Amino acid sequence: MLYRLTRPALFTLDPERAHGLAIAALKAGPRGSPASAGALATEVAGLAFPNPLGMAAGFDKNGEVPDALLGQGFGFVEVGSITPRPQAGNPKPRLFRLPEDRAVINRMGFNNGGAAAAAARLAKRERRGIVGINIGANKDSADRVADYAQMTQVMAPLASYLAVNISSPNTPGLRALQDEGALTGLLDAVLEARGASGPPVFLKVAPDLEPADIDAIARIALYKQLGALIVSNTTISRPLLQSRFKGEAGGLSGAPLRDLALQRVRDFRAATGGALPLVGVGGIATAEDAWARIRAGASLVQLYSAMVYEGPGIARRIVRGLEALMLRDGFASVAEAVGSE
Ligand SMILES: Cc1cc2nc3c(=O)[nH]c(=O)nc-3n(C[C@H](O)[C@H](O)[C@H](O)COP(=O)(O)O)c2cc1C
């Protein structure tokens, strides 16, 4: 309700300024406690999630407000992407609202304050609730695999899980790490840097993949015993859009990504035979969207763009709605519903 009233004012601001204000408000506001485990509690990759709805990467790039976000009702929060060295990202403007499409286009380019600053901040947390750390490589790095290994070493002790992000469309060449040979080498380096006792490693993939890519990624992820696949990042494709910013370069997220990301969950479910947990993300804005993603094969779900349009109250609304849908369809747990469509 409060957000409905303030949204018109926020939407007159440049989107990046509005985002800065949202972070500042979360920092200043009461922190709250992480959600408690109820009917929606679920275990994935050995971690106990109080509910399956997470805040996706990119909102809290520097790990400034994970606890405030957990206090909004999210079952987990993924901070980052964080790179070894701080970097400015692409020239502004680089973030666009497409209200007519309930969508966002961004070409931020991994703007972040770097690993040392984020690690110092995250080390001060009380470590209540599940906080994943999403890691990336510097744009000008001569050895990107070494960047991921270094990030793994620094962040593993601070993370509930690590998310290896090789699917941002805004760092040139990054998505080539999804190719079979490159991916095997990358994951070997990350898993070695993590060691035997580190947190589970999740891999975040693009929605813009051919069937052969999906099969190869699924095979490697299973073989390397990853904790989960996060499906998916933003799309470089352009479904029909209405907004005046539809021609901007970058990754598209929000409602127009929904059906593509849902289909990719189905594809990865088929390719993995259900043997590897999936995190469904892309265009989720309602409990029905989240439930459809779970029924299609996602053990967990995440969102970002819908919060721009709905405000932070969206987490509690979706969690409440999911409980009702689970009851309606006669499931005793989220895990039981995964892939049941
Ligand atoms: C402004 C913005 C910045 C993002 N930054 C990152 C990022 O740094 N790392 C990452 O893995 N995903 C990033 N994402 C992608 C989201 O985590 C998510 O995969 C995508 O937006 C689809 O979900 P949605 O439709 O709910 O927004 C970003 C998305 C947006 C809109």
Side-chain angles (χ1 to χ4, degrees):
M1 178 64 183
L2 184 63
Y3 191 77
R4 297 242 159 90
L5 292 173
T6 51
R7 194 178 70 182
L10 270 180
F11 273 29
T12 65
L13 298 177
D14 160 72
E16 227 179 305
R17 273 206 64 199
H19 177 255
L21 284 177
I23 296 280
L26 283 165
K27 266 190 194 166
R31 179 174 300 173
S33 300
S36 42
L40 294 175
T42 192
E43 191 182 309
V44 177
L47 301 169
F49 294 77
N51 71 60
L53 177 67
M55 179 76 225
F59 180 83
D60 185 10
K61 284 187 185 265
N62 292 307
E64 296 175 284
V65 291
D67 297 293
L69 288 166
L70 289 170
Q72 297 290 333
F74 286 103
F76 65 111
V77 172
E78 189 171 309
V79 302
S81 297
I82 304 168
T83 58
R85 284 170 290 112
Q87 66 180 25
N90 288 319
K92 296 176 188 177
R94 55 194 180 176
L95 177 58
F96 305 89
R97 287 185 208 99
L98 287 71
E100 297 83 352
D101 303 297
R102 291 255 153 180
V104 173
I105 291 177
N106 93 83
R107 52 170 178 273
M108 305 299 284
F110 284 174
N111 57 305
N112 78 105
R121 196 174 290 124
L122 291 166
K124 288 194 199 122
R125 293 185 56 238
E126 253 179 69
R127 305 258 335 241
R128 292 200 302 155
I130 295 191
V131 176
I133 303 181
N134 180 305
I135 60 176
N138 281 113
K139 182 182 176 184
D140 62 358
S141 168
D143 184 350
R144 286 191 171 149
V145 170
D147 278 21
Y148 285 97
Q150 183 189 341
M151 289 305 299
T152 300
Q153 234 151 27
V154 175
M155 296 302 178
L158 302 167
S160 304
Y161 68 85
L162 291 169
V164 176
N165 175 20
I166 47 169
S167 48
S168 165
N170 301 312
T171 296
L174 192 82
R175 286 170 300 142
L177 288 169
Q178 296 177 127
D179 297 346
E180 196 161 355
L183 183 58
T184 303
L186 170 70
L187 291 177
D188 283 342
V190 164
L191 293 171
E192 195 192 321
R194 181 205 52 178
S197 61
V201 171
F202 295 7
L203 181 72
K204 185 161 177 181
V205 301
D208 311 309
L209 295 172
E210 299 298 323
D213 305 326
I214 293 171
D215 286 341
I217 291 170
R219 196 167 3 94
I220 296 168
L222 280 167
Y223 183 67
K224 300 289 174 196
Q225 298 187 303
L226 297 189
L229 285 173
I230 305 175
V231 184
S232 70
N233 216 309
T234 58
T235 178
I236 55 170
S237 71
R238 290 293 183 270
L240 258 161
L241 299 171
Q242 306 298 319
S243 158
R244 68 189 169 115
F245 292 123
K246 65 184 174 189
E248 291 294 340
L252 172 71
S253 56
L257 173 59
R258 185 183 67 175
D259 292 352
L260 177 61
L262 172 64
Q263 185 54 44
R264 288 294 170 267
V265 165
R266 292 191 179 117
D267 296 342
F268 274 101
R269 170 90 182 172
T272 57
L276 187 67
L278 306 175
V279 182
V281 49
I284 292 173
T286 65
E288 285 75 12
D289 295 337
W291 187 235
R293 209 65 56 100
I294 290 167
R295 300 286 306 260
S299 295
L300 301 166
V301 295
Q302 295 177 316
L303 61 80
Y304 179 170
S305 298
M307 192 153 105
V308 172
Y309 294 103
E310 305 286 335
I314 192 170
R316 287 209 169 80
R317 277 200 295 281
I318 290 185
V319 168
R320 223 182 297 124
L322 268 178
E323 269 197 65
L325 289 168
M326 195 171 87
L327 268 178
R328 181 198 70 184
D329 291 351
F331 290 97
S333 71
V334 171
E336 196 182 297
V338 172
S340 60
E341 73 175 10

